[in-house]
Amino acid sequence: MAEAPSEPIAFPFPDPPSVRELPPELAEIRDGESVVEVKFPDGISGWMVTRHADVRKVLVDSRFSSKVMASAAAGMAETETGKLMNESLVGMDAPEHTRLRKLVTKAFTARNIEQLRPRVAEIVAELLDELEDQPRPVDLVKAFSVPLPVRVICELLGVPAEDQDTFHAWSNALLGDWSQVVEKEAATVALVGYFGELIAAKRAEPAEDLITALIKVSEEDPTLTDREITALSIGILSAGHETTANQISMFLVHLLNDPGQLAELRANPEALPRAVDELLRFVPLTTTGGIIPRLTTAEVELSNGKVLPAGAVVLPAVATANRDPEVFADGERLDLSREHNPHLAFGAGIHYCLGAQLARIELQEAFKAILERLPSVRLAVPESELRLKSASIIRGLESLPITW
């Protein structure tokens, strides 16, 4: 086993040569020490874990607290952004998280979400109609990848269509460059105010949407407050559209790079659910290869014998966990027919993504339609000209010019 480096590794790592590649440092860590100390740009040190067993442990073991975001952003504690971070599901531990998640699940059931599939398919068709009418090449990001989840999430929440572009701008500010503190705070304040008014409007005139459903839950259980409904709604908006938007574009780039598997998938569209899950495994969601960090509340021993002290910041590298050769045969290869696929793209444990089923539906319906309606779709520029969005938490493309 390689010796641990004497100094923490600077993190985040440089962008890889291709938008389809992971930073080589990630695989080197996984295949070497597997747990290394890293230093973040603000000077804080932490630990990166890269193997599937350890990443899953970080996600499910209660000794890894989700309140690290509040700790790391101590200077933001009195801002609206900091307060909202503390009040969101992703920033809570049990028992607060358990109470709120249980209440939300009453309105966000798998059955309710599956009933959205026909409407998702309609939105996909409408957007592709508009896309096909545009002169080529078309930027898939602007014309399809972003509008689809924005419209789905806004309709799910009950946000009027005329407000959806504004919502997207606010969400971009929340998930964009973390150094832009003023912009983030302004977007948070605007969203909190907007949802306060929307909740009041839905209480006066109920509708068939998630906010109305949450209001009904709060009437049955007053422990669910309007402030919590606001925090939940903002979390669903932010996490639910930016992730899926980027996945649509990134998935297509990977598929176009593998024409054999793409042709087989086009010939067998019933295989889409399995293919989407394989793409979820293979294509990293974040620029760092990790997800929201955790904070140890006690000493924890990992699989390689490394003991993390209490109070340590831990970054689970889901990207390498999802390619761990001990779990995934030939894990560095995209295999759309893969059957055994315990990937961690949606997390695990109590913080397993609330919107996982909705994301799958959107991705399945998006690619079902793209494969049917754009059988000759291809990149309109060399792949080397594609650029990842800079300083963004979520890994995505600035644009994706396509033609057919």
Side-chain angles (χ1 to χ4, degrees):
M1 181 178 290
E3 293 187 6
S6 57
E7 296 292 332
I9 300 173
F11 183 83
F13 306 128
D15 286 341
S18 163
V19 296
R20 287 185 293 101
E21 296 178 40
L22 293 178
E25 294 88 346
L26 282 172
E28 291 171 6
I29 294 169
R30 183 198 63 206
D31 299 335
E33 191 69 13
S34 82
V35 181
V36 299
E37 189 174 9
V38 294
K39 179 170 286 187
F40 302 103
D42 58 8
I44 295 175
S45 292
W47 296 91
M48 172 177 279
V49 300
T50 56
R51 291 182 183 164
H52 191 280
D54 290 331
V55 169
R56 192 176 192 286
K57 186 169 190 172
V58 172
L59 298 178
V60 304
D61 193 317
S62 62
R63 292 174 295 178
F64 293 90
S65 170
S66 294
K67 294 184 177 180
V68 65
M69 295 296 286
S71 301
M76 298 171 61
E78 297 306 314
T79 66
E80 195 68 14
T81 305
K83 292 175 183 176
L84 195 70
M85 194 181 297
N86 292 335
E87 296 164 4
S88 68
L89 277 173
V90 295
M92 286 183 177
D93 295 330
E96 296 90 349
H97 179 279
T98 307
R99 176 191 68 84
L100 193 55
R101 177 87 179 214
K102 185 177 180 180
L103 292 172
V104 177
T105 302
K106 292 180 180 179
F108 213 79
T109 64
R111 180 180 179 183
N112 288 346
I113 297 305
E114 183 59 35
Q115 290 176 346
L116 295 173
R117 187 182 290 272
R119 179 55 185 149
V120 172
E122 287 179 0
I123 296 173
V124 167
E126 291 166 6
L127 289 171
L128 286 179
D129 287 344
E130 296 170 7
L131 181 148
E132 289 179 316
D133 287 339
Q134 295 183 35
R136 304 173 198 175
V138 176
D139 179 5
L140 190 76
V141 172
K142 183 177 180 180
F144 184 80
S145 302
V146 168
L148 172 60
V150 168
R151 286 178 61 178
V152 170
I153 289 294
C154 285
E155 287 193 15
L156 173 70
L157 290 171
V159 173
E162 60 268 21
D163 295 339
Q164 292 178 11
D165 287 345
T166 304
F167 257 61
H168 175 56
W170 286 336
S171 183
N172 272 350
L174 288 181
L175 290 175
D177 188 344
W178 277 94
S179 67
Q180 303 300 312
V181 177
V182 174
E183 289 81 356
K184 287 186 183 298
E185 180 69 0
T188 304
V189 170
L191 279 166
V192 169
Y194 181 92
F195 273 113
E197 295 177 1
L198 188 60
I199 291 168
K202 297 292 182 182
R203 183 170 280 118
E205 295 184 25
E208 295 293 326
D209 53 51
L210 183 60
I211 290 181
T212 299
L214 289 172
I215 291 171
K216 291 178 181 177
V217 172
S218 72
E219 291 170 349
E220 297 170 0
D221 188 338
T223 61
L224 180 61
T225 66
D226 282 7
R227 174 72 180 190
E228 287 174 333
I229 294 175
T230 294
L232 286 166
S233 299
I234 294 174
I236 290 169
L237 167 72
S238 301
H241 95 264
E242 188 71 13
T243 51
T244 306
N246 291 338
Q247 286 169 327
I248 291 170
S249 298
M250 294 297 292
F251 285 9
L252 183 59
V253 171
H254 281 267
L255 288 172
L256 292 175
N257 185 64
D258 197 333
Q261 289 199 86
L262 177 58
E264 187 172 341
L265 182 60
R266 186 176 283 116
N268 300 281
E270 68 278 0
L272 261 171
R274 181 182 295 175
V276 164
D277 259 75
E278 172 65 354
L279 287 159
L280 285 164
R281 177 194 73 84
F282 190 77
V283 182
L285 179 61
T286 69
T287 53
T288 63
I291 58 174
I292 296 173
R294 302 292 199 266
L295 188 71
T296 55
T297 59
E299 282 192 356
V300 185
E301 183 175 351
L302 299 177
S303 64
N304 69 343
K306 175 67 181 178
V307 176
L308 301 181
V313 176
V314 183
L315 185 67
V318 170
T320 50
N322 280 346
R323 299 187 182 190
D324 191 332
E326 293 185 6
V327 179
F328 303 98
D330 200 9
E332 293 292 344
R333 184 176 75 88
L334 179 69
D335 179 5
L336 299 184
S337 64
R338 187 180 301 274
E339 294 184 9
H340 179 64
N341 199 347
H343 67 74
L344 300 171
F346 291 121
I350 66 172
H351 287 285
Y352 183 81
C353 178
L354 187 66
Q357 179 60 11
L358 179 58
R360 284 188 171 102
I361 289 171
E362 291 180 74
L363 292 166
Q364 290 166 11
E365 293 300 322
F367 280 96
K368 177 183 177 182
I370 288 173
L371 295 179
E372 288 177 354
R373 297 183 55 172
L374 304 177
S376 60
V377 64
R378 61 190 185 278
L379 296 182
V381 298
E383 186 182 296
S384 59
E385 293 184 14
L386 299 180
R387 295 289 180 268
L388 295 173
K389 292 188 290 186
S390 60
S392 176
I393 301 171
I394 308 299
R395 193 172 194 261
L397 297 170
E398 292 181 348
S399 65
L400 181 56
I402 62 166
T403 189
W404 56 94

